[in-house]
Amino acid sequence: MRPWIPYPAAFLFMWAAWPGDAGAQSLRGGLGAMEAQNRRARDYDYTFLTSPSHVRRFVNLGLLVELKGNRDYRLDDEVSFPFARPEVRTFIERLGGQYRAACGEQLVVTSLTRPLNRQPRNSSSLSVHPTGMAVDLRRSTKRACRRWMEEVLLHLEGIGTVEATYERRPPHYHVAVYTREYAQYVASLQAAGRVAAEGDGPVESRAAAAHAHGASSAAVVRYRVRSGDTLWAIARAYGTTVSVIKSTNSLGSSRIYTGQLLEVPVSSR
């Protein structure tokens, strides 16, 4: 059965342009990635928690916050310590809302904070899970959802707000959230009054995120054109028309180019 994705026409258009799983071969991780995450944790002067009591102490101090799940994301039964840095919770809640809007399924968190004495035997000594700045996310069985997730993670990694790795046993994404940089990124979006997805992802993911964040009929999304985009596909995804986009951007024709920044009115449908 084909996975449910909103805005099917626009999505099918983008799908045809992507051979294979988008970004799957780029989320490789490795020793260098682990070292980078560990260095960042030490730059933040984060404590590597040693035991469950140590975790509870940080929760009581407000340095870690609880994640309870909602309609957009849930915690797997394997999560023994449902706590993380506040910025990680923000990351999960934002990503969860966008993911559910794009894929029609909940985001599943499989691991959060793990104290050193509760780390798996095969875990790296460089792991930042004991600091509360990491989260593991289950990899969807739906090909389209994997593509969406991998493009979003690659974008966030590209702008320096996370370090993400696809791990195969079991299939999941390990994400170290660079908390200071991510908080600044979210603040910049809010300060600009933007309704946006987690970066300049494909047209359907940005449109889904705009609706997930409650865009009104007067809201405008800043959309950066990607290779293969057409005004028709963009208009279809955001519930508007080609003529409205042309008028809003003073376009004399329907011709657009890669990298062009458009202002797209978002329908509240």
Side-chain angles (χ1 to χ4, degrees), residues 24-77:
Q25 295 184 347
S26 299
L27 298 170
R28 293 177 178 173
L31 179 60
M34 295 295 294
E35 290 175 337
Q37 296 169 34
N38 191 274
R39 280 197 304 272
R40 191 63 59 95
R42 296 183 185 282
D43 288 343
Y44 296 152
D45 198 25
Y46 280 167
T47 299
F48 286 74
L49 305 176
T50 58
S51 65
S53 61
H54 206 175
V55 172
R56 287 193 294 272
R57 191 185 318 157
F58 268 56
V59 172
N60 292 336
L61 290 171
L63 299 174
L64 297 177
V65 295
E66 185 176 5
L67 286 84
K68 298 181 179 180
N70 56 32
R71 65 194 298 266
D72 299 321
Y73 80 94
R74 67 179 177 87
L75 304 184
D76 187 81
D77 292 339

Side-chain angles (χ1 to χ4, degrees), residues 232-253:
W232 180 88
I234 297 170
R236 173 88 176 198
Y238 286 97
T240 185
T241 66
V242 171
S243 61
V244 168
I245 297 177
K246 289 172 64 176
S247 175
T248 302
N249 294 275
S250 301
L251 300 178
S253 71

Side-chain angles (χ1 to χ4, degrees), residues 159-194:
I159 62 174
T161 59
V162 308
E163 180 76 39
T165 303
Y166 166 50
E167 299 183 359
R168 298 179 182 276
R169 297 180 182 176
H172 69 277
Y173 302 103
H174 165 78
V175 185
V177 180
Y178 290 163
T179 53
R180 292 178 186 171
E181 290 76 8
Y182 184 74
Q184 291 169 358
Y185 165 70
V186 173
S188 69
L189 293 182
Q190 294 172 341
R194 291 179 56 191

Side-chain angles (χ1 to χ4, degrees), residues 27 148-162 164 185 189 194 197-202 224 226:
L27 298 170
W148 186 94
M149 177 65 73
E150 289 166 11
E151 178 152 338
V152 168
L153 292 178
L154 283 169
H155 174 79
L156 287 173
E157 188 173 271
I159 62 174
T161 59
V162 308
Y185 165 70
L189 293 182
R194 291 179 56 191
E198 293 286 9
D200 293 329
R224 191 168 299 280
R226 297 170 60 86

Side-chain angles (χ1 to χ4, degrees), residues 214-233:
S216 71
S217 57
V220 173
V221 170
R222 292 180 181 178
Y223 181 89
R224 191 168 299 280
V225 177
R226 297 170 60 86
S227 176
D229 279 352
T230 67
L231 283 185
W232 180 88

